Structures are given as C-alpha cells and as structure tokens.
C-alpha cells in the first residue's frame, strides 16, 4: 500500500532485496524471505504462449494473480501487450492450468486492472483474484488515480457465474477504506480483510453466492507504526480460522475464530518470542505449524524463554489446541551459512499435512540460486525438490496455494517486469510451467 500511510515505505525499492508474498515483506533489510508452509516451490522461466481468443495480445504474458478450486478450474489475471500498450487479461482454465482461454471483463473493471499492466510494483498493489468455488469469485485490491490527491479506494468486483459477468461492489458504504488486503472462504462464507480506519483494519464476510457483505466483530487489528507495506492473511481449516495483519516489524493484529464462529483475541504463533509476522499452516482445525524468528524485529523475547532459542534463529513451532498455545519443536536451517530462512507464506490455505516446504537463497556474486526443500518429518531432514538460477537480484517467489492434497500453484517474479506460473499436481514434489 502506498501514499495514504506516510509511516510505511516500499521495502523492496528502499532496501533493494528480494521479496515474496502478496505484499512486500522485509527481514532486517538483508535477506530474501523464505517460505514455510505445507506447500512451496518455484522456477524462473518466462511465459510465451498466446491464449486462444486473445487476438490483440502479444505472447509475452506475465501472471499477476491466480486462483484454483478443487475441481481443477482456475482463473488468472495476467499482463500482456495489447498493441503498443500494456494490459491485464482475465484467463480461465478448466484442466488444472494445462490450457487457458480469455474471459471478457466489463469496461470499468478492465480499465482498473489495466493500470497494473506493468509488474514494477508487484506484488504490493496489483489486483488479486480469488474463487471460492466454480461459480463465485472476486477481483479485489486498491485503486488510486495518479493525478488525484485523494486517498486510494478499496476496489471489489464479484462474479457468480464463473467469471462470465462481473458486478462492482461499493466498498465505502461497507466501511472498507484504501485497500482489500486478502480474501478467503470457509463453510459457505467469503471473508475479506481491508482497511477500516486510518490506523486499523476490519473483517467482512458474505455468503459466497451473495453480494450482501457485513462487518464482522474482531479484536482491534492495528496498523504497524512503521516498516514495510502492511499485509493480511486468513487461514481456515474445518471450523477453525485465524486472522493476522502486520509487516516486517511484526504481527500487529491477530484474531482466532472459535467453533461457534466468534473471533477472539489471539496471541499468535510468535507472540512470546518477538511477534514476527509468521502465518501458521493448519493441517486440521486444532493442529498448526509455524516458523518464528526468535526476537522478531525488535529483539524482544518473553521472560522464561528457553535458553536454546537463540536470538535471530528460526524455529518450528506447533500447536494442538487451535493455536491457543505454541511450543517450539526444533531449530530450522541450523548449520546453513549462505542460506537464509524467513517468514511463512501469508496465504496458507490447504496442503498435504505434515509437509513443510522452505525456500532458500544462495548468493554467488551477482547471481543467486533459489532452492525449494521439503521435509516430511517436522523439519528433522530436508530434500531438495527444485532449484532455480537467477541473474536478477530482484526476482522472488510469490505465495503458494494448494486447493487440494495434490493441486498447487505459484507465481514467481523472474525479472523486474516478467513472471511465470507453475503448477504442481502431486503435492509439491514436481512443478511444471503453465502458460497463461
């Protein structure tokens, strides 16, 4: 998010380091952030195939956002060249990303998303797309008129026929301001986290087939006092739910959903060891995993923290009581001197339980190798499943999503202006490029 919150800054441009997740995240200004989750992967190849029906677009397509549902259907917003100008196209796949066709957007929606025809600000401000099922989906984000001095506006569009038609949702009457950070769904409801005041966020929900949004009561979700762009996360599993907002300074707003559907105050996975913004991965409504950086941004830990949890090390934590209490299992990445572990994926959805994926960066002069490793024994041992060489220090991984035990997707920024989509159909062991 930019311009309306002067205390924040664009961390990627200010620090000149690689980043990943839906909005820019930094860790002490020195490292590429890694991915923990019950999912993760990457590759650095550019897209090249034109889409059937896209008669005016060139073949140089780069995805901005992608969403899949358990049936294997997927939707993507992808940048391309439309004549001499850049544009953003809406694509749909019916076969787990093997082929894509273009869907027509309303003029107003097309005009808005075309503002993001360049990936220069990816992934801070670009529009996102999310589908709860084969029919009901949303395109959301922020709109800011460059020539205007007014504050940004939260933008939200809905479809209930698989993306064939779209309707705009008036967000200011709902109390949404500036930007919608993230969306997810659970048990027939769609949820959205957005700015609500100048220094706090709110939660809204709607029946997935409806446009009648309503505000949900939560503990106060504060903005950070400084640091990188604010981001948000919603994690659902069964009748459990977890909400988090924060940035590189830490988690500043947390809430947990009880089985009755009420959102209550939550200390979070890393609350006692530095309050890092680290979103958990849920394998059930009671069982969660997370990686916490001991000390967080400010180097603070609670009195009584075990002495083996050394400052600035990364530890795997687990909970078996819906996230009420987290306990350390073991240090993650001990002994690696040229790889850095960082935050956890901010949009954890579903994935094979007890599988942990970590992205590591090895810097070699001006080149770098980004490697994906998987653990199936709670981080006791690791196996590499993918590695990528990059000559561009600004390349980085986007969030990884699994919509079933097998089907996963990820966007990786390959250069400052190009990206690629990769699909896994075996739970993250093998990844193949999908040409949107």
């Amino acid at each position: 998010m930019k311009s309306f919150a002067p205390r924040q800054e664009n961390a990627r441009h200010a620090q000149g380091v690689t980043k990943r997740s839906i909005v820019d995240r930094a860790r002490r200004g020195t490292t590429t952030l890694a991915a923990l989750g019950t999912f993760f992967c990457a590759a650095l190849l550019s897209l090249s195939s034109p889409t059937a029906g896209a008669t005016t677009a060139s073949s140089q397509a780069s995805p901005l956002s992608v969403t899949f549902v358990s049936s294997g259907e997927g939707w993507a917003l992808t940048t391309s060249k439309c004549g001499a100008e850049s544009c953003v196209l809406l694509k749909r796949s019916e076969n787990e990303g093997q082929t894509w066709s273009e869907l027509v957007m309303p003029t107003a929606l097309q005009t808005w998303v075309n503002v993001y025809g360049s990936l220069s600000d990816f992934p801070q401000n670009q529009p996102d797309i999310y589908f709860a099922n084969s029919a009901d989906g949303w395109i959301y984000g922020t709109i800011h008129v460059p020539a205007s001095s007014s504050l940004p506006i939260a933008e939200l569009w809905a479809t209930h026929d698989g993306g064939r038609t779209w309707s705009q949702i008036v967000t200011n009457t709902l109390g949404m301001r500036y930007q919608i950070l993230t969306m997810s769904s659970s048990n027939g409801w769609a949820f959205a986290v957005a700015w609500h005041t100048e220094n706090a966020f709110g939660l809204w929900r709607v029946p997935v087939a409806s446009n009648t949004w309503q505000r949900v009561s939560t503990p106060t979700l504060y903005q950070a006092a400084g640091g990188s762009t604010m981001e948000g996360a919603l994690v659902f599993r069964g009748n459990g739910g977890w909400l988090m907002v924060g940035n590189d300074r830490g988690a500043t707003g947390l809430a947990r959903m009880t089985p009755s559907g009420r959102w209550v105050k939550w200390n979070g996975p890393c609350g006692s060891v530095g309050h890092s913004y680290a979103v958990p991965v849920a394998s059930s409504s009671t069982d969660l995993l997370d990686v916490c950086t001991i000390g967080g941004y400010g180097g603070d830990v609670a009195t009584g923290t075990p002495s083996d949890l050394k400052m600035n090390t990364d530890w795997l934590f687990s909970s078996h009581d819906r996230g009420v209490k987290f306990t350390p299992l073991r240090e993650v990445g001990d002994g690696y001197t040229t790889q850095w572990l960082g935050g956890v994926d901010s949009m954890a959805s579903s994935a094979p339980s007890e599988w942990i994926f970590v992205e590591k960066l090895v810097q070699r002069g001006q080149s770098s190798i980004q490697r994906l490793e998987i653990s199936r024994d709670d981080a006791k041992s690791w196996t590499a499943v993918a590695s990528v060489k990059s000559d561009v220090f600004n390349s980085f991984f986007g969030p990884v999503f699994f919509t079933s035990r097998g089907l996963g997707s990820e966007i990786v920024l390959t250069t400052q202006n190009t990206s690629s989509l990769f699909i896994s159909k075996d739970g993250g062991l093998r990844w193949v490029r999908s040409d949107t």
Side-chain angles (χ1 to χ4, degrees):
M1 202 59 214
K2 293 181 178 178
S3 67
F4 69 89
R7 290 180 296 175
Q8 301 174 4
E9 62 185 26
N10 183 329
R12 177 162 64 92
H13 292 292
Q15 298 174 14
V17 295
T18 61
K19 295 289 177 286
R20 61 152 205 86
S21 83
I22 47 173
V23 283
D24 204 36
R25 182 187 302 159
R27 180 188 174 203
R28 302 182 199 90
T30 59
T31 84
T32 293
L33 284 186
L36 165 126
T38 9
F39 44 93
F40 257 74
C41 175
L44 292 175
L45 296 172
S46 60
L47 302 178
S48 60
S49 299
T51 301
T55 56
T56 62
S58 78
S59 61
Q60 301 302 311
S62 290
L64 287 171
S65 180
V66 67
T67 178
F68 281 89
V69 295
S70 57
S71 64
E73 295 171 273
W75 295 260
L77 293 173
T78 184
T79 69
S80 190
K81 282 289 186 181
C82 297
E85 303 294 329
S86 296
C87 62
V88 174
L89 305 177
L90 173 61
K91 305 288 189 69
R92 180 172 181 260
S93 175
E94 300 181 39
N95 51 18
E96 298 181 333
Q98 295 182 49
T99 59
W100 297 83
S101 58
E102 186 180 341
L103 296 174
V104 177
M105 290 181 281
T107 300
L109 176 55
Q110 184 70 69
T111 300
W112 169 49
V113 296
N114 277 352
V115 174
Y116 304 92
S118 167
L119 276 75
S120 59
D121 285 330
F122 181 86
Q124 297 102 311
N125 292 328
Q126 92 286 348
D128 283 294
I129 188 167
Y130 174 75
F131 270 73
N133 52 48
S134 296
D136 304 302
W138 300 264
I139 297 175
Y140 63 94
T142 182
I143 182 170
H144 180 70
V145 181
S148 172
S149 60
S150 61
L151 294 174
I153 300 171
E155 190 81 355
L156 179 62
W157 292 74
T159 180
H160 302 293
D161 57 10
R164 295 174 180 84
T165 62
W166 294 84
S167 57
Q168 186 175 19
I169 308 300
V170 180
T171 58
N172 59 358
T173 61
L174 300 174
M176 296 180 178
R177 304 180 67 177
Y178 309 145
Q179 181 187 27
I180 297 171
L181 299 186
T182 188
M183 286 192 65
S184 190
S185 61
S186 176
N187 297 318
W189 291 90
F191 293 82
V193 176
W195 288 84
H196 182 55
T197 68
E198 291 183 356
N199 56 14
F201 300 86
L203 178 67
W204 288 259
R205 72 173 188 173
V206 66
V208 293
S210 168
N211 289 335
T212 309
W213 287 83
Q214 57 187 255
R215 177 86 189 283
V216 179
S217 176
T218 67
T220 304
L221 307 171
Y222 289 108
Q223 175 194 10
S228 62
T229 303
M230 291 295 293
E231 58 185 291
L234 285 165
V235 178
F236 291 103
R237 179 71 76 167
N239 63 2
W242 301 266
L243 184 164
M244 183 180 293
V245 296
N247 64 1
D248 66 315
R249 302 300 173 89
T252 55
L254 304 103
R256 178 178 60 87
M257 189 177 74
T258 67
S260 66
R262 188 167 63 96
W263 291 85
V264 298
K265 189 175 181 180
W266 182 41
N267 195 40
C270 309
S272 63
V273 291
H275 291 280
S276 296
Y277 182 86
V279 181
V281 174
S283 58
S284 72
S285 60
T286 58
D287 300 311
L288 299 95
L289 286 173
D290 207 348
V291 165
C292 296
T293 299
I294 307 304
Y297 179 85
D300 299 319
V301 296
T303 302
T305 298
S307 59
D308 54 343
L309 272 65
K310 303 296 185 183
M311 196 70 69
N312 299 326
T313 59
D314 296 303
W315 279 71
L316 182 68
F317 283 70
S318 68
S319 173
H320 303 289
D321 58 3
R322 295 181 173 271
V324 175
K325 181 181 179 182
F326 282 83
T327 56
L329 290 180
R330 62 187 51 85
E331 186 176 354
V332 179
D334 183 34
Y336 290 101
T337 58
T338 57
Q339 293 92 353
W340 298 277
L341 304 179
V344 68
D345 180 64
S346 63
M347 289 292 289
S349 53
S350 61
S353 60
E354 300 178 356
W355 287 20
I356 305 169
F357 292 80
V358 174
E359 172 201 337
K360 297 178 182 178
L361 174 71
V362 182
Q363 191 67 34
R364 296 176 179 173
Q366 295 301 312
S367 298
S368 61
I369 295 176
Q370 300 185 64
R371 188 169 66 199
L372 173 74
E373 297 189 1
I374 183 174
S375 174
R376 306 186 196 185
D377 54 9
D378 288 338
K380 294 177 183 176
S381 62
W382 299 91
T383 302
V385 294
S387 62
V388 191
K389 183 177 180 180
S390 171
D391 292 326
V392 183
F393 199 58
N394 276 333
S395 62
F396 60 92
F397 297 94
V400 177
F401 303 94
F402 276 79
T403 52
S404 67
R405 186 171 181 85
L407 180 60
S409 61
E410 179 188 23
I411 294 174
V412 58
L413 191 70
T414 54
T415 72
Q416 188 174 358
N417 297 303
T418 60
S419 62
S420 294
L421 169 65
F422 286 82
I423 305 294
S424 175
K425 300 179 182 179
D426 60 2
L429 296 178
R430 180 174 180 269
W431 296 80
V432 178
R433 190 183 70 186
S434 174
D435 291 340
T436 54

